[in-house]
Amino acid sequence: MRAIVVDDEPKIRNGLCRLVEGLEEWTVAGSFEEAAAAMEYLKGGQADVIITDIKMPRMSGLDLIYKIREVNAEVDVIIVSGYTNFSYAQRAIELGVTRYLTKPTNPLELIDTLRQIEKKPVSYTHLRAHETGRNL
């Protein structure tokens, strides 16, 4: 499965990438410091899972998720954030986020979430997107 990681903190971003790459059947398709760069990538690239922070310069993770949901309601999104603000969590739920993890993140929680995503049945729409190479 392919994941992209979006976080403006290099240490966090690199750690998340190493964790994902360490899992069998997983690869990091892209690693981005800014949400806008991730969005640009997703115009031509594919991802099964997006792991994103909320608070980032220029475009927030929530804005990124909103834009993604306009074109793809199926992709799994995991938020990893230092913010426990209820309004962020509420908005994340409205946007259909798979999981909201707080920093510092327990790596086992993220691994468990990724394993749960692996076990989900693939929807016809998601399958067709992969077969045809259609992107977000």
Side-chain angles (χ1 to χ4, degrees):
M1 297 194 75
R2 293 175 301 240
I4 66 166
V5 177
V6 189
D7 197 306
D8 60 322
E9 298 177 55
K11 185 176 178 181
I12 303 285
R13 187 175 61 251
N14 294 334
L16 290 169
C17 288
R18 280 192 303 275
L19 188 138
V20 171
E21 288 285 351
L23 298 174
E24 192 173 322
E25 304 294 323
W26 284 88
T27 186
V28 174
S31 173
F32 305 96
E33 183 176 352
E34 296 183 357
M39 196 66 218
E40 189 62 32
Y41 166 82
L42 290 168
K43 289 179 183 176
Q46 295 180 1
D48 301 297
V49 177
I50 298 163
I51 303 170
T52 185
D53 190 8
I54 288 181
K55 286 289 211 177
M56 293 179 284
R58 293 186 265 296
M59 181 191 295
S60 76
L62 292 173
D63 291 337
L64 171 65
I65 297 163
Y66 178 81
K67 289 178 180 288
I68 290 167
R69 291 292 184 235
E70 287 180 328
V71 294
N72 186 332
E74 309 266 338
V75 68
D76 284 287
V77 178
I78 301 169
I79 290 177
V80 178
S81 177
Y83 293 89
T84 57
N85 184 314
F86 177 72
S87 64
Y88 290 148
Q90 185 176 25
R91 183 68 179 134
I93 290 167
E94 291 169 0
L95 292 169
V97 167
T98 305
R99 188 82 188 265
Y100 191 114
L101 301 172
T102 55
K103 293 176 186 174
T105 301
N106 178 342
L108 295 177
E109 282 187 277
L110 181 56
I111 290 168
D112 183 56
T113 301
L114 294 171
R115 294 293 183 219
Q116 288 174 20
I117 290 168
E118 281 180 350
K119 294 176 185 176
K120 284 173 50 175
V122 178
S123 73
Y124 178 75
T125 306
H126 195 70
L127 181 62
R128 290 293 302 147
H130 281 286
E131 288 174 356
T132 62
R134 191 190 74 198
N135 305 314
L136 294 179

